[in-house]
Amino acid sequence: MKDAVHQTFYLADYQPPAYLIEDVTLTFRLSPRATRVLSRIHFVPNPDTSDRTFFLHGEQLTLISAKIDGHEITPTLTDTGLTAEAPDAPFTWEAEVEISPETNTALEGLYMSNGMYCTQCEAEGFRKITYYPDRPDVMAPFSVRIEGEQPILLSNGNPTASGKGWAEWHDPWPKPAYLFALVAGDLRATTGSFTTRSGRDVTLNLWVRPGDEDKTAFGLQALIDSMKWDEDVYGREYDLDLFNIVAVSDFNMGAMENKGLNIFNSSAVLASPETATDANFERIEGIIAHEYFHNWTGNRITCRDWFQLCLKEGLTVFRDQQFTSDMRSASVKRISDVLMLRARQFREDAGPLAHPVRPEQFQEINNFYTATIYEKGAEVIGMLKRLVGDRDYYRALDVYFQRHDGHACTIEDWLQVFEDTTGRDLSQFKRWYSQAGTPLLHVEDSFEDGTYTLTFRQETRPTPGQPDKAPLVIPIAVGLLSPDGTEVVPTTLCEMSAATQSFTFDGLTEKPIPSILREFSAPVILTRQASNAERAFLLAHDTDPFNKWEAGRALAKDVLIHMITDGNAPDSAYLDALKAMVSDESLDPAFRALAIALPSQDDIAQTLHASGVVPDPMAIHNASKTLRQATAEHLADILPDLYAANQVHEAYQPNADQSGKRALAGAALSLIARLDGGKQAQAQYDAADNMTQQLSALSALLLADAGTDALAAFEAQWKDDRLVMDKWFSLQVMMAKPDDVADVVTRLTARPDFDMRNPNRFRAVIGALGGHLAGFHHPSGKGYELMADWLIKLDALNPQTTARMSSAFDTWKRFDEDRQQMIRAQLERIMARETLSRDTSEMVGRILA
Ligand code: PHE
Ligand code: ZN
């Protein structure tokens, strides 16, 4: 094993910066392999500390010259930065460095994508641009001059001057370096405008490469909707005259909230009906909102240090979820969010990568842009809102914006605002930020003399580094139904804080049926095994849409699990209940589409493992397939009508109404394909004029083993559209039979258009491999080996994306001895690489530990 030891950073070690910055001026002379960056920075001693160590971060920089107050100096250079003697008084720092954007394949710092220059600085990428205190608690106004031959030269803030081959920008709002951005290229704008409620006219530009102009309208409208929503709901206005969004093909994440110059992965912003699915449109709307909302929750108020990442991410995810609920269907949004939370965050929280919402240590902060910090971070805010109530929540937010505007803050600052405005003691609630692991919530009930009692017991299992857990504050929303189906107690909040706690409801005439954890009011696992009769009852009668869906899901899971563990046949009571629900036209089609979907195979593996059974991926695969086939047969007589009734006859719109219908018709189509060999799917494919229907038809055809022609036609039609081809690549892996997955991946990765430097393309294939339970965990071990091969290859180019994708292995301890041994061998092979990045080494090390 390699012996490189990487430094670990601890929250407890926080020290304020020795120097603060009054202002920064940067000049960029762009050149693919020899860009010069000149910096002029006014430093002042930080009055809050007596420390006068002058340290600037810097990595992969060639220092040309450095001056303090005009005098040339020779700083001491290290791998991570430089130190120098500095005055205990205000002074001016000037430096010139050289960097090579063209060879920067890590996509962090200044890099090139398709001939265009762009930057990514969060979290610690600015140090690859110039020497600087690259920490979020150092905030400064930036002036930037860009010299380059590209027609469009952009940076943060407002443009101040420009000429042929240069442009100057000024951002008056003090910001940390991670929000810096620069873009230079041949770009075309789609322009719009927004007038804020106090009358500021803001120009909105969505910049794309020539040829993509027809994919910008939706993103621009989403931006306008977001700006309006943040005014209406949070009272937050935009604060510059210009808001730029740029689409970039090569990007590690979804998008980035740089002040006034958001940079987007093209997959997170470009959309037209022909090229993007309904799901893509919804995701784009959510991400545009997310980045825009960061302007207040992230930029105006930022994080003191990276341990506080959830301060901006949890809150901003919560806000974008609220936005989507308002724009679309709140119950459908809640169900989708919980599906995602369980699939990604619960998985993370149950394995070797578990960490608190506010972690206390890291080696590489890029490894902490996780489902726990984002999604569980948002759940914690949702619980807080539920506990204090809507009115107090918005009052507290007003105080937060007012008290902390322009500051770099902590979770303590955030909670203090709530304590001050509501008078509540949040010390126990704060444990949600420090304690990792998903709590199990056990329930018992009893009924006597008209009083119904629910007794809850909470239990959080040990996670890495945290053997003992303390009780949390858990808001449990409960409603009670009488056996005839009427609701006798509407949704009531039970505030649990003890390890075991009872709640009583009196004045009842008969024992009610409980609907527990309505709206999924806390990110916990309810262990209660209701009878299937009770689940069927809730599926039919619950007034809470989330729990109605949940009841159906629990039924489906139970059926699948018994098929796997006891060899049962598909349960007809479940199939009857499903049939009744699917044909219930009073229910939103989008809701019905969600209810038809089976639990994911990974979800089943997770559930089996939690109940002490070693999951067999092949058995899970086969049971899911058998149940789908049985569903198709059981619903055969209603499928044609269901399909026909949910066709959209108006012009394509990616709105909630139309997309719900397409989702339900698509679900019907995939069942029909199991009965008719793909005839209906081929007809839909041939007639499709939008990507949602083209793709759902293609996937139904692949399911029926009848997709060869359509795959070829799809490729011929879309070979020049990278984003659409990503779908073509990933669908083939997703739909492959377990025995074929490795071959399909090998064939696809041998194609000249498999460009591993492009994270979207890499994820389309290798990400889909990790997501194919039975293919990845194939008994031959080929899936593991392929994954490890590709992670090793990519690590040399792009550590950040490699490290993220290594989490494909994080469930390895669920599986049998043979599989564990094969996975361990692959993980050790990765670890043994001489030049493994810090990112991947930390991740694989944690997975192995
Ligand atoms: N801050 C970005 C977001 O959540 C995510 C991101 C992190 C992008 C790191 C790039 C690099 O919106
Ligand atoms: Zn974010």
Side-chain angles (χ1 to χ4, degrees):
M1 248 207 256
K2 63 190 247 316
D3 44 344
V5 180
H6 298 290
Q7 193 185 345
T8 301
F9 298 90
Y10 297 91
L11 167 61
D13 289 348
Y14 175 81
Q15 294 294 334
Y19 291 88
L20 302 176
I21 297 182
E22 269 181 347
D23 56 69
V24 187
T25 305
L26 301 172
T27 300
F28 288 81
R29 303 201 171 119
L30 297 175
S31 162
R33 299 212 173 197
T35 289
R36 288 290 171 105
V37 184
L38 286 70
S39 57
R40 186 182 160 85
I41 307 172
H42 290 118
F43 283 100
V44 292
N46 182 356
D48 293 342
T49 172
S50 56
D51 179 18
R52 291 294 169 255
T53 316
F54 183 64
F55 172 76
L56 301 180
H57 294 102
E59 281 173 25
Q60 297 161 37
L61 306 172
T62 306
L63 181 63
I64 307 294
S65 71
K67 286 182 196 164
I68 284 183
D69 284 335
H71 301 292
E72 196 91 32
I73 60 153
T74 310
T76 309
L77 302 183
T78 70
D79 280 356
T80 58
L82 64 73
T83 52
E85 288 292 332
D88 188 4
F91 66 92
T92 303
W93 163 267
E94 287 164 285
E96 180 166 359
V97 302
E98 188 171 291
I99 53 180
S100 174
E102 194 174 62
T103 53
N104 178 356
T105 56
L107 314 183
E108 193 187 50
L110 178 66
Y111 65 95
M112 298 193 75
S113 169
N114 256 321
M116 132 188 186
Y117 290 85
C118 68
T119 54
Q120 173 51 45
C121 295
E122 188 178 6
E124 300 181 331
F126 193 75
R127 62 191 63 182
K128 295 178 168 181
I129 291 177
T130 191
Y131 287 101
Y132 199 81
D134 187 8
R135 41 186 293 169
D137 56 354
V138 174
M139 300 171 81
F142 279 61
S143 298
V144 175
R145 178 182 167 88
I146 310 169
E147 297 173 10
E149 64 206 18
Q150 292 67 27
I152 302 300
L153 305 170
L154 307 173
S155 191
N156 314 87
N158 299 313
T160 46
S162 63
K164 195 172 156 28
W166 63 275
E168 291 178 356
W169 292 80
H170 177 68
D171 180 3
W173 297 102
K175 66 168 176 289
Y178 84 85
L179 291 172
F180 167 81
L182 174 154
V183 169
D186 180 12
L187 296 165
R188 304 291 144 85
T190 305
T191 299
S193 68
F194 183 81
T195 304
T196 69
R197 63 175 185 184
S198 69
R200 179 195 287 270
D201 287 318
V202 185
T203 300
L204 315 174
N205 289 319
L206 206 166
W207 297 94
V208 298
R209 297 160 53 79
D212 282 335
E213 296 93 329
D214 60 335
K215 297 180 187 153
T216 55
F218 182 79
L220 200 58
Q221 186 57 46
L223 174 61
I224 293 168
D225 294 340
S226 307
M227 296 177 88
K228 175 82 170 74
W229 186 91
D230 213 13
E231 291 188 351
D232 292 348
V233 179
Y234 281 86
R236 298 294 104 202
E237 261 185 76
Y238 188 60
D239 52 9
L240 290 166
D241 305 328
L242 180 61
F243 192 90
N244 281 318
I245 291 180
V246 182
V248 174
S249 317
D250 301 284
F251 201 76
N252 282 331
M253 308 279 276
M256 179 63 211
E257 70 264 24
N258 316 300
K259 182 81 189 191
L261 178 53
N262 288 0
I263 297 183
F264 274 63
N265 185 323
S266 51
S267 75
V269 58
L270 298 184
S272 69
E274 295 74 33
T275 61
T277 63
D278 290 327
N280 295 150
F281 278 102
E282 179 170 338
R283 172 170 179 265
I284 287 167
E285 186 177 74
I287 297 182
I288 297 250
H290 180 96
E291 305 312 331
Y292 175 72
F293 296 160
H294 267 315
N295 191 53
W296 274 95
T297 51
N299 302 4
R300 290 284 288 257
I301 303 179
T302 194
C303 303
R304 185 193 73 176
D305 54 72
W306 291 116
F307 298 100
Q308 322 293 330
L309 182 57
C310 66
L311 178 77
K312 74 177 176 81
E313 295 304 346
L315 179 54
T316 306
V317 170
F318 182 71
R319 277 151 47 70
D320 83 54
Q321 291 175 344
Q322 287 184 296
F323 168 77
T324 302
S325 310
D326 285 356
M327 298 289 290
R328 292 166 181 260
S329 150
S331 53
V332 167
K333 174 64 175 162
R334 186 64 186 142
I335 295 166
S336 327
D337 287 341
V338 173
L339 274 169
M340 228 258 276
L341 182 79
R342 285 178 172 156
R344 297 185 41 224
Q345 201 281 323
F346 282 19
R347 166 177 166 151
E348 187 165 76
D349 237 356
L353 299 176
H355 57 275
V357 170
R358 180 171 66 177
E360 282 159 29
Q361 62 183 79
F362 62 74
Q363 290 177 18
E364 172 51 65
I365 184 58
N366 283 332
N367 289 334
F368 285 84
Y369 286 77
T370 61
T372 296
I373 280 154
Y374 277 65
E375 270 73 39
K376 189 174 180 179
E379 291 299 316
V380 172
I381 303 217
M383 285 190 286
L384 190 55
K385 178 161 175 282
R386 198 178 286 273
L387 287 168
V388 304
D390 281 7
R391 213 181 118 258
D392 279 0
Y393 171 79
Y394 288 107
R395 277 205 309 134
L397 266 286
D398 285 344
V399 173
Y400 178 66
F401 291 125
Q402 165 132 59
R403 186 184 290 178
H404 294 297
D405 187 10
H407 299 170
C409 297
T410 61
I411 289 303
E412 282 73 17
D413 294 328
W414 161 255
L415 290 176
Q416 189 65 50
V417 165
F418 278 82
E419 294 202 329
D420 292 351
T421 44
T422 67
R424 247 176 201 261
D425 174 0
L426 292 172
S427 46
Q428 188 187 356
F429 183 81
K430 193 178 173 194
R431 284 186 191 142
W432 279 108
Y433 288 98
S434 57
Q435 188 165 289
T438 306
L440 302 177
L441 191 61
H442 309 294
V443 194
E444 274 170 32
D445 67 344
S446 63
F447 182 71
E448 209 180 333
D449 297 335
T451 298
Y452 180 66
T453 305
L454 279 170
T455 302
F456 296 103
R457 183 167 63 82
Q458 56 169 305
E459 175 197 1
T460 306
R461 303 257 164 91
T463 53
Q466 287 190 339
D468 302 312
K469 306 286 183 177
L472 298 162
V473 179
I474 305 182
I476 310 168
V478 174
L480 301 178
L481 303 168
S482 81
D484 68 6
T486 52
E487 188 169 77
V488 284
V489 173
T491 306
T492 305
L493 194 64
C494 302
E495 258 186 66
M496 182 184 194
S497 53
T500 302
Q501 200 167 338
S502 296
F503 299 87
T504 57
F505 304 84
D506 38 44
L508 300 166
T509 49
E510 50 193 331
K511 185 175 183 188
I513 291 96
S515 167
I516 303 170
L517 209 65
R518 282 185 158 179
E519 275 181 57
F520 202 65
S521 59
V524 301
I525 295 169
L526 201 57
T527 60
R528 182 163 183 271
Q529 289 298 313
S531 70
N532 280 351
E534 186 179 314
R535 287 171 177 151
F537 173 88
L538 289 173
L539 177 59
H541 300 293
D542 205 325
T543 57
D544 178 65
F546 179 83
N547 267 2
K548 188 182 180 75
W549 168 82
E550 180 82 322
R553 163 123 314 207
L555 259 180
K557 237 169 148 169
D558 192 71
V559 169
L560 266 173
I561 298 231
H562 283 99
M563 288 171 70
I564 294 160
T565 55
D566 309 336
N568 287 6
D571 178 79
S572 58
Y574 160 71
L575 294 173
D576 287 339
L578 184 65
K579 192 168 183 175
M581 199 273 312
V582 167
S583 354
D584 181 350
E585 301 208 337
S586 70
L587 297 172
D588 178 0
F591 178 89
R592 285 185 275 160
L594 282 169
I596 284 197
L598 282 186
S600 75
Q601 297 184 27
D602 190 66
D603 187 359
I604 297 297
Q606 188 171 316
T607 306
L608 283 169
H609 171 70
S611 57
V613 180
V614 176
D616 172 357
M618 221 32 227
I620 297 174
H621 177 88
N622 291 334
S624 304
K625 196 171 151 192
T626 306
L627 184 54
R628 284 279 85 170
Q629 187 64 36
T631 306
E633 285 161 16
H634 201 85
L635 271 55
D637 56 331
I638 63 162
L639 288 173
D641 280 352
L642 189 65
Y643 181 73
N646 288 284
Q647 295 303 310
V648 173
H649 302 290
E650 306 81 63
Y652 179 92
Q653 288 285 334
N655 57 28
D657 185 39
Q658 281 196 11
S659 44
K661 286 188 172 164
R662 278 187 292 269
L664 186 53
L669 184 69
S670 91
L671 292 171
I672 292 170
R674 292 172 194 269
L675 303 172
D676 76 350
K679 260 177 58 198
Q680 185 79 56
Q682 187 66 53
Q684 176 171 314
Y685 189 87
D686 294 338
D689 64 356
N690 62 76
M691 184 48 65
T692 308
Q693 286 184 299
Q694 198 176 8
L695 208 63
S696 70
L698 182 59
S699 104
L701 282 166
L702 289 170
L703 204 66
D705 279 327
T708 315
D709 291 350
L711 270 178
F714 192 99
E715 182 187 1
Q717 183 181 359
W718 296 115
K719 58 182 184 320
D720 297 324
D721 189 310
R722 284 222 231 176
L723 291 176
V724 178
M725 283 303 281
D726 287 337
K727 302 181 197 303
W728 181 87
F729 273 90
S730 70
L731 194 67
Q732 292 182 70
V733 181
M734 282 160 44
M735 303 301 293
K737 303 211 166 31
D739 287 345
D740 300 341
V741 169
D743 291 343
V744 171
V745 169
T746 305
R747 179 170 55 73
L748 291 175
T749 50
R751 291 171 56 99
D753 54 353
F754 178 78
D755 173 10
M756 68 181 295
R757 284 167 205 251
N758 177 253
N760 291 353
R761 185 61 48 92
F762 191 87
R763 274 189 290 260
V765 179
I766 308 300
L769 165 65
H772 193 305
L773 187 81
F776 181 50
H777 295 282
H778 193 269
S780 64
K782 278 194 202 159
Y784 306 145
E785 202 180 322
L786 261 179
M787 177 65 73
D789 286 349
W790 281 104
L791 292 180
I792 287 169
K793 278 189 228 179
L794 188 67
D795 192 58
L797 300 170
N798 185 336
Q800 199 178 320
T801 291
T802 309
R804 289 181 80 76
M805 295 196 58
S806 67
S807 65
F809 286 114
D810 77 341
T811 54
W812 67 296
K813 295 226 167 120
R814 286 179 187 165
F815 297 98
D816 54 86
E817 261 311 308
D818 281 356
R819 286 189 170 87
Q820 288 198 27
Q821 264 186 33
M822 290 191 287
I823 297 177
R824 176 187 287 281
Q826 296 304 329
L827 290 171
E828 284 174 351
R829 180 160 72 95
I830 299 174
M831 266 321 245
R833 302 293 296 184
E834 209 52 55
T835 54
L836 196 68
S837 66
R838 174 174 62 213
D839 309 56
T840 306
S841 140
E842 179 183 30
M843 290 294 279
V844 176
R846 283 163 67 205
I847 293 171
L848 269 171

